PDB file of all heavy atoms in Angstrom:
ATOM      1  N   ASP A   1     -52.569 -20.399  19.890  1.00  0.00           N
ATOM      2  CA  ASP A   1     -53.778 -20.011  20.604  1.00  0.00           C
ATOM      3  C   ASP A   1     -54.946 -19.709  19.681  1.00  0.00           C
ATOM      4  O   ASP A   1     -55.024 -18.659  19.083  1.00  0.00           O
ATOM      5  CB  ASP A   1     -53.459 -18.776  21.456  1.00  0.00           C
ATOM      6  CG  ASP A   1     -54.600 -18.422  22.379  1.00  0.00           C
ATOM      7  OD1 ASP A   1     -55.584 -19.163  22.388  1.00  0.00           O
ATOM      8  OD2 ASP A   1     -54.498 -17.420  23.078  1.00  0.00           O
ATOM      9  N   SER A   2     -55.857 -20.655  19.606  1.00  0.00           N
ATOM     10  CA  SER A   2     -57.119 -20.387  18.929  1.00  0.00           C
ATOM     11  C   SER A   2     -58.183 -20.021  19.946  1.00  0.00           C
ATOM     12  O   SER A   2     -59.339 -19.881  19.641  1.00  0.00           O
ATOM     13  CB  SER A   2     -57.568 -21.631  18.153  1.00  0.00           C
ATOM     14  OG  SER A   2     -57.712 -22.722  19.037  1.00  0.00           O
ATOM     15  N   LYS A   3     -57.847 -19.848  21.106  1.00  0.00           N
ATOM     16  CA  LYS A   3     -58.536 -19.577  22.364  1.00  0.00           C
ATOM     17  C   LYS A   3     -60.066 -19.682  22.390  1.00  0.00           C
ATOM     18  O   LYS A   3     -60.789 -18.735  22.123  1.00  0.00           O
ATOM     19  CB  LYS A   3     -58.129 -18.224  22.897  1.00  0.00           C
ATOM     20  CG  LYS A   3     -58.509 -18.089  24.350  1.00  0.00           C
ATOM     21  CD  LYS A   3     -57.933 -16.875  24.983  1.00  0.00           C
ATOM     22  CE  LYS A   3     -58.383 -16.888  26.430  1.00  0.00           C
ATOM     23  NZ  LYS A   3     -58.208 -15.647  27.073  1.00  0.00           N
ATOM     24  N   LYS A   4     -60.554 -20.844  22.686  1.00  0.00           N
ATOM     25  CA  LYS A   4     -61.938 -21.035  23.067  1.00  0.00           C
ATOM     26  C   LYS A   4     -62.943 -20.560  22.025  1.00  0.00           C
ATOM     27  O   LYS A   4     -63.995 -20.065  22.361  1.00  0.00           O
ATOM     28  CB  LYS A   4     -62.204 -20.340  24.409  1.00  0.00           C
ATOM     29  CG  LYS A   4     -61.351 -20.876  25.541  1.00  0.00           C
ATOM     30  CD  LYS A   4     -61.519 -20.105  26.806  1.00  0.00           C
ATOM     31  CE  LYS A   4     -60.669 -18.878  26.860  1.00  0.00           C
ATOM     32  NZ  LYS A   4     -59.241 -19.053  26.882  1.00  0.00           N
ATOM     33  N   THR A   5     -62.623 -20.698  20.745  1.00  0.00           N
ATOM     34  CA  THR A   5     -63.535 -20.182  19.730  1.00  0.00           C
ATOM     35  C   THR A   5     -64.849 -20.956  19.707  1.00  0.00           C
ATOM     36  O   THR A   5     -65.876 -20.414  19.313  1.00  0.00           O
ATOM     37  CB  THR A   5     -62.887 -20.266  18.339  1.00  0.00           C
ATOM     38  OG1 THR A   5     -62.406 -21.584  18.118  1.00  0.00           O
ATOM     39  CG2 THR A   5     -61.737 -19.284  18.232  1.00  0.00           C
ATOM     40  N   ALA A   6     -64.826 -22.201  20.121  1.00  0.00           N
ATOM     41  CA  ALA A   6     -66.074 -22.966  20.146  1.00  0.00           C
ATOM     42  C   ALA A   6     -66.935 -22.551  21.331  1.00  0.00           C
ATOM     43  O   ALA A   6     -68.131 -22.313  21.203  1.00  0.00           O
ATOM     44  CB  ALA A   6     -65.766 -24.459  20.220  1.00  0.00           C
ATOM     45  N   GLN A   7     -66.290 -22.423  22.506  1.00  0.00           N
ATOM     46  CA  GLN A   7     -67.059 -22.097  23.706  1.00  0.00           C
ATOM     47  C   GLN A   7     -67.639 -20.690  23.673  1.00  0.00           C
ATOM     48  O   GLN A   7     -68.677 -20.433  24.243  1.00  0.00           O
ATOM     49  CB  GLN A   7     -66.171 -22.232  24.940  1.00  0.00           C
ATOM     50  CG  GLN A   7     -65.731 -23.650  25.239  1.00  0.00           C
ATOM     51  CD  GLN A   7     -64.923 -23.707  26.517  1.00  0.00           C
ATOM     52  OE1 GLN A   7     -65.319 -23.126  27.521  1.00  0.00           O
ATOM     53  NE2 GLN A   7     -63.797 -24.375  26.471  1.00  0.00           N
ATOM     54  N   GLU A   8     -66.937 -19.782  22.995  1.00  0.00           N
ATOM     55  CA  GLU A   8     -67.333 -18.390  23.088  1.00  0.00           C
ATOM     56  C   GLU A   8     -68.709 -18.134  22.492  1.00  0.00           C
ATOM     57  O   GLU A   8     -69.339 -17.133  22.774  1.00  0.00           O
ATOM     58  CB  GLU A   8     -66.296 -17.497  22.425  1.00  0.00           C
ATOM     59  CG  GLU A   8     -66.303 -17.552  20.913  1.00  0.00           C
ATOM     60  CD  GLU A   8     -65.223 -16.665  20.305  1.00  0.00           C
ATOM     61  OE1 GLU A   8     -64.429 -16.115  21.066  1.00  0.00           O
ATOM     62  OE2 GLU A   8     -65.191 -16.550  19.081  1.00  0.00           O
ATOM     63  N   GLU A   9     -69.186 -19.058  21.626  1.00  0.00           N
ATOM     64  CA  GLU A   9     -70.456 -18.828  20.969  1.00  0.00           C
ATOM     65  C   GLU A   9     -71.612 -19.545  21.673  1.00  0.00           C
ATOM     66  O   GLU A   9     -72.720 -19.579  21.149  1.00  0.00           O
ATOM     67  CB  GLU A   9     -70.350 -19.254  19.507  1.00  0.00           C
ATOM     68  CG  GLU A   9     -69.308 -18.434  18.746  1.00  0.00           C
ATOM     69  CD  GLU A   9     -69.319 -18.706  17.252  1.00  0.00           C
ATOM     70  OE1 GLU A   9     -70.377 -19.097  16.743  1.00  0.00           O
ATOM     71  OE2 GLU A   9     -68.272 -18.536  16.625  1.00  0.00           O
ATOM     72  N   LEU A  10     -71.341 -20.139  22.821  1.00  0.00           N
ATOM     73  CA  LEU A  10     -72.419 -20.799  23.547  1.00  0.00           C
ATOM     74  C   LEU A  10     -73.492 -19.788  23.921  1.00  0.00           C
ATOM     75  O   LEU A  10     -73.180 -18.722  24.454  1.00  0.00           O
ATOM     76  CB  LEU A  10     -71.872 -21.464  24.813  1.00  0.00           C
ATOM     77  CG  LEU A  10     -70.986 -22.703  24.596  1.00  0.00           C
ATOM     78  CD1 LEU A  10     -70.416 -23.161  25.923  1.00  0.00           C
ATOM     79  CD2 LEU A  10     -71.779 -23.816  23.951  1.00  0.00           C
ATOM     80  N   PRO A  11     -74.754 -20.089  23.676  1.00  0.00           N
ATOM     81  CA  PRO A  11     -75.828 -19.140  23.971  1.00  0.00           C
ATOM     82  C   PRO A  11     -75.852 -18.621  25.401  1.00  0.00           C
ATOM     83  O   PRO A  11     -76.143 -17.441  25.596  1.00  0.00           O
ATOM     84  CB  PRO A  11     -77.098 -19.947  23.639  1.00  0.00           C
ATOM     85  CG  PRO A  11     -76.655 -20.950  22.629  1.00  0.00           C
ATOM     86  CD  PRO A  11     -75.241 -21.294  23.016  1.00  0.00           C
ATOM     87  N   PRO A  12     -75.544 -19.436  26.438  1.00  0.00           N
ATOM     88  CA  PRO A  12     -75.617 -18.898  27.804  1.00  0.00           C
ATOM     89  C   PRO A  12     -74.749 -17.663  28.026  1.00  0.00           C
ATOM     90  O   PRO A  12     -75.065 -16.819  28.852  1.00  0.00           O
ATOM     91  CB  PRO A  12     -75.136 -20.070  28.668  1.00  0.00           C
ATOM     92  CG  PRO A  12     -75.472 -21.277  27.866  1.00  0.00           C
ATOM     93  CD  PRO A  12     -75.240 -20.872  26.446  1.00  0.00           C
ATOM     94  N   TYR A  13     -73.641 -17.536  27.273  1.00  0.00           N
ATOM     95  CA  TYR A  13     -72.766 -16.379  27.463  1.00  0.00           C
ATOM     96  C   TYR A  13     -73.512 -15.090  27.138  1.00  0.00           C
ATOM     97  O   TYR A  13     -73.575 -14.163  27.945  1.00  0.00           O
ATOM     98  CB  TYR A  13     -71.526 -16.524  26.587  1.00  0.00           C
ATOM     99  CG  TYR A  13     -70.642 -15.286  26.612  1.00  0.00           C
ATOM    100  CD1 TYR A  13     -69.882 -14.985  27.730  1.00  0.00           C
ATOM    101  CD2 TYR A  13     -70.596 -14.409  25.536  1.00  0.00           C
ATOM    102  CE1 TYR A  13     -69.085 -13.844  27.775  1.00  0.00           C
ATOM    103  CE2 TYR A  13     -69.801 -13.276  25.556  1.00  0.00           C
ATOM    104  CZ  TYR A  13     -69.053 -12.998  26.682  1.00  0.00           C
ATOM    105  OH  TYR A  13     -68.282 -11.874  26.717  1.00  0.00           O
ATOM    106  N   THR A  14     -74.106 -15.019  25.962  1.00  0.00           N
ATOM    107  CA  THR A  14     -74.807 -13.795  25.583  1.00  0.00           C
ATOM    108  C   THR A  14     -76.135 -13.643  26.327  1.00  0.00           C
ATOM    109  O   THR A  14     -76.555 -12.526  26.614  1.00  0.00           O
ATOM    110  CB  THR A  14     -75.050 -13.766  24.065  1.00  0.00           C
ATOM    111  OG1 THR A  14     -75.681 -14.978  23.661  1.00  0.00           O
ATOM    112  CG2 THR A  14     -73.742 -13.609  23.312  1.00  0.00           C
ATOM    113  N   GLU A  15     -76.763 -14.759  26.656  1.00  0.00           N
ATOM    114  CA  GLU A  15     -78.024 -14.678  27.411  1.00  0.00           C
ATOM    115  C   GLU A  15     -77.789 -14.054  28.783  1.00  0.00           C
ATOM    116  O   GLU A  15     -78.592 -13.244  29.264  1.00  0.00           O
ATOM    117  CB  GLU A  15     -78.637 -16.072  27.567  1.00  0.00           C
ATOM    118  CG  GLU A  15     -79.272 -16.607  26.305  1.00  0.00           C
ATOM    119  CD  GLU A  15     -79.804 -18.016  26.474  1.00  0.00           C
ATOM    120  OE1 GLU A  15     -79.849 -18.493  27.637  1.00  0.00           O
ATOM    121  OE2 GLU A  15     -80.151 -18.641  25.457  1.00  0.00           O
ATOM    122  N   THR A  16     -76.676 -14.425  29.436  1.00  0.00           N
ATOM    123  CA  THR A  16     -76.353 -13.857  30.747  1.00  0.00           C
ATOM    124  C   THR A  16     -76.145 -12.356  30.652  1.00  0.00           C
ATOM    125  O   THR A  16     -76.579 -11.595  31.527  1.00  0.00           O
ATOM    126  CB  THR A  16     -75.080 -14.528  31.312  1.00  0.00           C
ATOM    127  OG1 THR A  16     -75.274 -15.932  31.384  1.00  0.00           O
ATOM    128  CG2 THR A  16     -74.763 -14.001  32.704  1.00  0.00           C
ATOM    129  N   ILE A  17     -75.506 -11.915  29.577  1.00  0.00           N
ATOM    130  CA  ILE A  17     -75.277 -10.479  29.394  1.00  0.00           C
ATOM    131  C   ILE A  17     -76.597  -9.753  29.151  1.00  0.00           C
ATOM    132  O   ILE A  17     -76.852  -8.676  29.710  1.00  0.00           O
ATOM    133  CB  ILE A  17     -74.293 -10.243  28.234  1.00  0.00           C
ATOM    134  CG1 ILE A  17     -72.921 -10.829  28.591  1.00  0.00           C
ATOM    135  CG2 ILE A  17     -74.165  -8.752  27.914  1.00  0.00           C
ATOM    136  CD1 ILE A  17     -71.961 -10.905  27.433  1.00  0.00           C
ATOM    137  N   LEU A  18     -77.463 -10.335  28.331  1.00  0.00           N
ATOM    138  CA  LEU A  18     -78.754  -9.706  28.050  1.00  0.00           C
ATOM    139  C   LEU A  18     -79.638  -9.615  29.285  1.00  0.00           C
ATOM    140  O   LEU A  18     -80.493  -8.728  29.387  1.00  0.00           O
ATOM    141  CB  LEU A  18     -79.476 -10.471  26.941  1.00  0.00           C
ATOM    142  CG  LEU A  18     -78.850 -10.371  25.547  1.00  0.00           C
ATOM    143  CD1 LEU A  18     -79.535 -11.332  24.583  1.00  0.00           C
ATOM    144  CD2 LEU A  18     -78.924  -8.944  25.020  1.00  0.00           C
ATOM    145  N   LYS A  19     -79.425 -10.523  30.240  1.00  0.00           N
ATOM    146  CA  LYS A  19     -80.214 -10.511  31.473  1.00  0.00           C
ATOM    147  C   LYS A  19     -79.566  -9.690  32.584  1.00  0.00           C
ATOM    148  O   LYS A  19     -80.113  -9.576  33.674  1.00  0.00           O
ATOM    149  CB  LYS A  19     -80.411 -11.951  31.971  1.00  0.00           C
ATOM    150  CG  LYS A  19     -81.315 -12.785  31.076  1.00  0.00           C
ATOM    151  CD  LYS A  19     -81.401 -14.220  31.587  1.00  0.00           C
ATOM    152  CE  LYS A  19     -82.277 -15.066  30.672  1.00  0.00           C
ATOM    153  NZ  LYS A  19     -82.306 -16.497  31.117  1.00  0.00           N
ATOM    154  N   SER A  20     -78.391  -9.131  32.317  1.00  0.00           N
ATOM    155  CA  SER A  20     -77.678  -8.373  33.346  1.00  0.00           C
ATOM    156  C   SER A  20     -78.409  -7.088  33.694  1.00  0.00           C
ATOM    157  O   SER A  20     -79.242  -6.583  32.921  1.00  0.00           O
ATOM    158  CB  SER A  20     -76.264  -8.034  32.858  1.00  0.00           C
ATOM    159  OG  SER A  20     -76.313  -7.076  31.807  1.00  0.00           O
ATOM    160  N   ALA A  21     -78.080  -6.542  34.866  1.00  0.00           N
ATOM    161  CA  ALA A  21     -78.705  -5.293  35.307  1.00  0.00           C
ATOM    162  C   ALA A  21     -78.386  -4.150  34.350  1.00  0.00           C
ATOM    163  O   ALA A  21     -79.225  -3.274  34.102  1.00  0.00           O
ATOM    164  CB  ALA A  21     -78.218  -4.949  36.720  1.00  0.00           C
ATOM    165  N   VAL A  22     -77.176  -4.143  33.790  1.00  0.00           N
ATOM    166  CA  VAL A  22     -76.804  -3.077  32.855  1.00  0.00           C
ATOM    167  C   VAL A  22     -77.638  -3.158  31.586  1.00  0.00           C
ATOM    168  O   VAL A  22     -78.214  -2.152  31.134  1.00  0.00           O
ATOM    169  CB  VAL A  22     -75.301  -3.145  32.522  1.00  0.00           C
ATOM    170  CG1 VAL A  22     -74.962  -2.232  31.339  1.00  0.00           C
ATOM    171  CG2 VAL A  22     -74.467  -2.747  33.740  1.00  0.00           C
ATOM    172  N   SER A  23     -77.735  -4.339  30.972  1.00  0.00           N
ATOM    173  CA  SER A  23     -78.528  -4.488  29.743  1.00  0.00           C
ATOM    174  C   SER A  23     -79.989  -4.142  29.984  1.00  0.00           C
ATOM    175  O   SER A  23     -80.626  -3.441  29.182  1.00  0.00           O
ATOM    176  CB  SER A  23     -78.411  -5.921  29.206  1.00  0.00           C
ATOM    177  OG  SER A  23     -77.133  -6.173  28.681  1.00  0.00           O
ATOM    178  N   GLN A  24     -80.531  -4.627  31.090  1.00  0.00           N
ATOM    179  CA  GLN A  24     -81.941  -4.358  31.362  1.00  0.00           C
ATOM    180  C   GLN A  24     -82.192  -2.884  31.645  1.00  0.00           C
ATOM    181  O   GLN A  24     -83.236  -2.345  31.275  1.00  0.00           O
ATOM    182  CB  GLN A  24     -82.400  -5.227  32.536  1.00  0.00           C
ATOM    183  CG  GLN A  24     -82.437  -6.714  32.176  1.00  0.00           C
ATOM    184  CD  GLN A  24     -82.968  -7.588  33.297  1.00  0.00           C
ATOM    185  OE1 GLN A  24     -83.032  -7.168  34.442  1.00  0.00           O
ATOM    186  NE2 GLN A  24     -83.325  -8.810  32.966  1.00  0.00           N
ATOM    187  N   SER A  25     -81.240  -2.216  32.282  1.00  0.00           N
ATOM    188  CA  SER A  25     -81.386  -0.782  32.527  1.00  0.00           C
ATOM    189  C   SER A  25     -81.359   0.003  31.221  1.00  0.00           C
ATOM    190  O   SER A  25     -82.128   0.953  31.033  1.00  0.00           O
ATOM    191  CB  SER A  25     -80.268  -0.286  33.454  1.00  0.00           C
ATOM    192  OG  SER A  25     -80.372  -0.882  34.730  1.00  0.00           O
ATOM    193  N   ILE A  26     -80.462  -0.379  30.308  1.00  0.00           N
ATOM    194  CA  ILE A  26     -80.401   0.290  29.004  1.00  0.00           C
ATOM    195  C   ILE A  26     -81.714   0.090  28.255  1.00  0.00           C
ATOM    196  O   ILE A  26     -82.275   1.035  27.676  1.00  0.00           O
ATOM    197  CB  ILE A  26     -79.212  -0.250  28.182  1.00  0.00           C
ATOM    198  CG1 ILE A  26     -77.877   0.160  28.824  1.00  0.00           C
ATOM    199  CG2 ILE A  26     -79.278   0.242  26.741  1.00  0.00           C
ATOM    200  CD1 ILE A  26     -76.659  -0.502  28.207  1.00  0.00           C
ATOM    201  N   THR A  27     -82.228  -1.129  28.285  1.00  0.00           N
ATOM    202  CA  THR A  27     -83.474  -1.429  27.574  1.00  0.00           C
ATOM    203  C   THR A  27     -84.651  -0.668  28.178  1.00  0.00           C
ATOM    204  O   THR A  27     -85.442  -0.039  27.465  1.00  0.00           O
ATOM    205  CB  THR A  27     -83.760  -2.933  27.619  1.00  0.00           C
ATOM    206  OG1 THR A  27     -82.663  -3.636  27.019  1.00  0.00           O
ATOM    207  CG2 THR A  27     -85.036  -3.274  26.869  1.00  0.00           C
ATOM    208  N   TYR A  28     -84.765  -0.700  29.505  1.00  0.00           N
ATOM    209  CA  TYR A  28     -85.943  -0.131  30.167  1.00  0.00           C
ATOM    210  C   TYR A  28     -85.908   1.394  30.190  1.00  0.00           C
ATOM    211  O   TYR A  28     -86.899   2.060  29.895  1.00  0.00           O
ATOM    212  CB  TYR A  28     -86.040  -0.679  31.594  1.00  0.00           C
ATOM    213  CG  TYR A  28     -87.257  -0.192  32.342  1.00  0.00           C
ATOM    214  CD1 TYR A  28     -88.508  -0.774  32.111  1.00  0.00           C
ATOM    215  CD2 TYR A  28     -87.162   0.842  33.267  1.00  0.00           C
ATOM    216  CE1 TYR A  28     -89.636  -0.330  32.790  1.00  0.00           C
ATOM    217  CE2 TYR A  28     -88.279   1.293  33.947  1.00  0.00           C
ATOM    218  CZ  TYR A  28     -89.510   0.705  33.707  1.00  0.00           C
ATOM    219  OH  TYR A  28     -90.629   1.153  34.366  1.00  0.00           O
ATOM    220  N   HIS A  29     -84.758   1.965  30.532  1.00  0.00           N
ATOM    221  CA  HIS A  29     -84.699   3.413  30.741  1.00  0.00           C
ATOM    222  C   HIS A  29     -84.340   4.199  29.483  1.00  0.00           C
ATOM    223  O   HIS A  29     -84.662   5.381  29.391  1.00  0.00           O
ATOM    224  CB  HIS A  29     -83.696   3.734  31.851  1.00  0.00           C
ATOM    225  CG  HIS A  29     -84.082   3.183  33.187  1.00  0.00           C
ATOM    226  ND1 HIS A  29     -85.138   3.688  33.923  1.00  0.00           N
ATOM    227  CD2 HIS A  29     -83.572   2.157  33.916  1.00  0.00           C
ATOM    228  CE1 HIS A  29     -85.257   3.011  35.049  1.00  0.00           C
ATOM    229  NE2 HIS A  29     -84.320   2.073  35.072  1.00  0.00           N
ATOM    230  N   LEU A  30     -83.680   3.541  28.528  1.00  0.00           N
ATOM    231  CA  LEU A  30     -83.298   4.252  27.314  1.00  0.00           C
ATOM    232  C   LEU A  30     -84.056   3.752  26.087  1.00  0.00           C
ATOM    233  O   LEU A  30     -83.843   4.230  24.976  1.00  0.00           O
ATOM    234  CB  LEU A  30     -81.788   4.112  27.072  1.00  0.00           C
ATOM    235  CG  LEU A  30     -80.878   4.604  28.204  1.00  0.00           C
ATOM    236  CD1 LEU A  30     -79.414   4.425  27.821  1.00  0.00           C
ATOM    237  CD2 LEU A  30     -81.160   6.072  28.526  1.00  0.00           C
ATOM    238  N   GLY A  31     -84.910   2.769  26.294  1.00  0.00           N
ATOM    239  CA  GLY A  31     -85.706   2.271  25.184  1.00  0.00           C
ATOM    240  C   GLY A  31     -85.009   1.252  24.311  1.00  0.00           C
ATOM    241  O   GLY A  31     -85.567   0.811  23.310  1.00  0.00           O
ATOM    242  N   GLY A  32     -83.752   0.930  24.657  1.00  0.00           N
ATOM    243  CA  GLY A  32     -83.021  -0.085  23.910  1.00  0.00           C
ATOM    244  C   GLY A  32     -82.900   0.279  22.434  1.00  0.00           C
ATOM    245  O   GLY A  32     -83.091   1.421  22.048  1.00  0.00           O
ATOM    246  N   PRO A  33     -82.574  -0.679  21.569  1.00  0.00           N
ATOM    247  CA  PRO A  33     -82.199  -2.041  21.954  1.00  0.00           C
ATOM    248  C   PRO A  33     -80.722  -2.118  22.338  1.00  0.00           C
ATOM    249  O   PRO A  33     -79.944  -1.252  21.973  1.00  0.00           O
ATOM    250  CB  PRO A  33     -82.444  -2.834  20.668  1.00  0.00           C
ATOM    251  CG  PRO A  33     -82.138  -1.843  19.582  1.00  0.00           C
ATOM    252  CD  PRO A  33     -82.577  -0.506  20.113  1.00  0.00           C
ATOM    253  N   VAL A  34     -80.394  -3.149  23.076  1.00  0.00           N
ATOM    254  CA  VAL A  34     -78.985  -3.379  23.387  1.00  0.00           C
ATOM    255  C   VAL A  34     -78.340  -4.105  22.217  1.00  0.00           C
ATOM    256  O   VAL A  34     -79.012  -4.622  21.327  1.00  0.00           O
ATOM    257  CB  VAL A  34     -78.823  -4.206  24.684  1.00  0.00           C
ATOM    258  CG1 VAL A  34     -79.358  -3.443  25.879  1.00  0.00           C
ATOM    259  CG2 VAL A  34     -79.514  -5.561  24.563  1.00  0.00           C
ATOM    260  N   THR A  35     -77.009  -4.129  22.228  1.00  0.00           N
ATOM    261  CA  THR A  35     -76.265  -4.822  21.181  1.00  0.00           C
ATOM    262  C   THR A  35     -76.676  -6.293  21.131  1.00  0.00           C
ATOM    263  O   THR A  35     -76.800  -6.959  22.153  1.00  0.00           O
ATOM    264  CB  THR A  35     -74.754  -4.710  21.454  1.00  0.00           C
ATOM    265  OG1 THR A  35     -74.408  -3.324  21.467  1.00  0.00           O
ATOM    266  CG2 THR A  35     -73.950  -5.415  20.389  1.00  0.00           C
ATOM    267  N   GLN A  36     -76.895  -6.786  19.932  1.00  0.00           N
ATOM    268  CA  GLN A  36     -77.410  -8.143  19.754  1.00  0.00           C
ATOM    269  C   GLN A  36     -76.307  -9.197  19.887  1.00  0.00           C
ATOM    270  O   GLN A  36     -75.117  -8.905  19.701  1.00  0.00           O
ATOM    271  CB  GLN A  36     -78.089  -8.252  18.394  1.00  0.00           C
ATOM    272  CG  GLN A  36     -79.336  -7.394  18.289  1.00  0.00           C
ATOM    273  CD  GLN A  36     -80.335  -7.687  19.405  1.00  0.00           C
ATOM    274  OE1 GLN A  36     -80.869  -8.798  19.500  1.00  0.00           O
ATOM    275  NE2 GLN A  36     -80.584  -6.707  20.263  1.00  0.00           N
ATOM    276  N   PRO A  37     -76.691 -10.445  20.217  1.00  0.00           N
ATOM    277  CA  PRO A  37     -75.706 -11.497  20.485  1.00  0.00           C
ATOM    278  C   PRO A  37     -74.668 -11.700  19.381  1.00  0.00           C
ATOM    279  O   PRO A  37     -73.493 -11.877  19.664  1.00  0.00           O
ATOM    280  CB  PRO A  37     -76.573 -12.745  20.671  1.00  0.00           C
ATOM    281  CG  PRO A  37     -77.853 -12.209  21.234  1.00  0.00           C
ATOM    282  CD  PRO A  37     -78.068 -10.898  20.546  1.00  0.00           C
ATOM    283  N   SER A  38     -75.086 -11.664  18.127  1.00  0.00           N
ATOM    284  CA  SER A  38     -74.120 -11.889  17.047  1.00  0.00           C
ATOM    285  C   SER A  38     -73.050 -10.800  17.036  1.00  0.00           C
ATOM    286  O   SER A  38     -71.865 -11.074  16.789  1.00  0.00           O
ATOM    287  CB  SER A  38     -74.834 -11.924  15.695  1.00  0.00           C
ATOM    288  OG  SER A  38     -75.523 -10.699  15.464  1.00  0.00           O
ATOM    289  N   THR A  39     -73.443  -9.560  17.338  1.00  0.00           N
ATOM    290  CA  THR A  39     -72.477  -8.463  17.392  1.00  0.00           C
ATOM    291  C   THR A  39     -71.572  -8.600  18.612  1.00  0.00           C
ATOM    292  O   THR A  39     -70.376  -8.300  18.548  1.00  0.00           O
ATOM    293  CB  THR A  39     -73.199  -7.101  17.424  1.00  0.00           C
ATOM    294  OG1 THR A  39     -74.081  -7.017  16.304  1.00  0.00           O
ATOM    295  CG2 THR A  39     -72.208  -5.952  17.380  1.00  0.00           C
TER     296      THR A  39
END
């Protein structure tokens, strides 16, 4: 099992998380920043 190591780095994965209600709430109400895609 090398499990999806290529797919896991596709930009849409982290972009969807950054656009989520949780990420946006952290950014807006706590001043951010949220954890970055590479992390």
Side-chain angles (χ1 to χ4, degrees):
D1 188 3
S2 59
K3 196 170 181 195
K4 300 174 276 295
T5 52
Q7 293 183 47
E8 74 181 6
E9 298 188 27
L10 290 174
Y13 174 73
T14 52
E15 285 177 10
T16 303
I17 295 168
L18 291 172
K19 291 177 181 177
S20 70
V22 168
S23 289
Q24 292 183 343
S25 296
I26 293 171
T27 301
Y28 182 79
H29 296 289
L30 303 181
V34 296
T35 300
Q36 294 305 296
S38 59
T39 305

